[in-house]
Amino acid sequence: MSTLRRVGLATVAMLAVALPGAFAANGPPFQLRSVEAQEVDGVYLLDAVARLRLTPTVRHALHGGVGLVMSWNIEIVRERPWWLEAEVAELSQRYYIEYHELSLQYLVTNLNTGERRNFVDLKGALAHIGRLYKFPLLDRVVIEGQPGHRGRAQVRLDHGALPWALRPTALMSSAWSLESQWLGWSFE
């Protein structure tokens, strides 16, 4: 085995050991910081903030031409005595992020609205994806007079939107397991 190859293998082994610890020290790569629903003119709107960081493996794939879909998943349920909770609504806000090597910019597309924005750095692009502002949830009349409604939100990397050849690797590797915890709120 050549010296260069041994050095390369040693470097990969050190990174495999060191990187999980680096992310553990800073918390999980996707971390939901806050969620708050408030009623405005008869419609509940959601404000949510998440800190999003990509693992080196996912960042390398993005820079290598793999587009990524990040999905905000939102569930609203009504608790029922003596029975399972009833699902009232299930919503999602999806973003597609890609890197353009020629312009050295990140393009973020809101897949719900089609709106596109350019960012000069990854941090700015991820901050944009990690912020929901006045996202419409449901009309007040849907839950009016029925107590026990609550909601929860999560943001994650959508493995189903990855290229077919990459999906098995993404499903088996912790480097591709990017999802926040669920964070909830009450409508009362």
Side-chain angles (χ1 to χ4, degrees):
M1 184 183 297
S2 73
T3 305
L4 183 58
R5 185 165 179 192
R6 272 183 274 175
V7 170
L9 289 174
T11 303
V12 169
M14 286 189 311
L15 285 174
V17 171
L19 287 177
F23 277 115
N26 295 324
F30 279 27
Q31 187 174 24
L32 205 48
R33 297 281 176 110
S34 67
V35 293
E36 181 184 356
Q38 55 185 311
E39 181 197 342
V40 177
D41 296 329
V43 176
Y44 283 100
L45 305 175
L46 179 70
D47 288 337
V49 177
R51 185 192 72 203
L52 307 178
R53 293 179 294 129
L54 300 182
T55 61
T57 302
V58 176
R59 189 172 43 250
H60 180 71
L62 178 64
H63 290 154
V66 176
L68 306 172
V69 173
M70 314 269 180
S71 178
W72 280 89
N73 301 314
I74 303 157
E75 297 176 354
I76 300 168
V77 297
R78 181 173 53 87
E79 295 175 347
R80 300 184 290 187
W82 309 102
W83 198 247
L84 300 174
E85 58 192 20
E87 185 177 288
V88 175
E90 192 172 357
L91 307 149
S92 71
Q93 174 64 60
R94 295 165 43 95
Y95 293 96
Y96 181 75
I97 181 171
E98 57 189 315
Y99 178 68
H100 288 266
E101 194 169 338
L102 189 58
S103 65
L104 302 175
Q105 292 194 352
Y106 298 87
L107 177 63
V108 175
T109 304
N110 180 326
L111 295 178
N112 291 35
T113 65
E115 175 193 2
R116 302 176 124 195
R117 292 194 56 191
N118 291 323
F119 296 89
V120 294
D121 62 6
L122 182 58
K123 186 177 181 180
L126 292 175
H128 175 71
I129 293 169
R131 173 97 167 103
L132 288 183
Y133 180 68
K134 300 206 180 302
F135 181 79
L137 295 173
L138 63 134
D139 290 341
R140 178 185 62 217
V141 296
V142 173
I143 64 172
E144 201 166 42
Q146 302 176 28
H149 284 87
R150 59 185 176 78
R152 66 183 193 154
Q154 170 197 56
V155 61
R156 68 179 181 84
L157 174 67
D158 185 352
H159 291 147
L162 291 170
W164 279 97
L166 192 53
R167 288 182 195 178
T169 302
L171 291 172
M172 302 299 282
S173 169
S174 63
W176 286 89
S177 182
L178 300 177
E179 66 180 27
S180 73
Q181 78 284 16
W182 286 93
L183 196 56
W185 69 90
S186 174
F187 285 95
E188 279 69 55

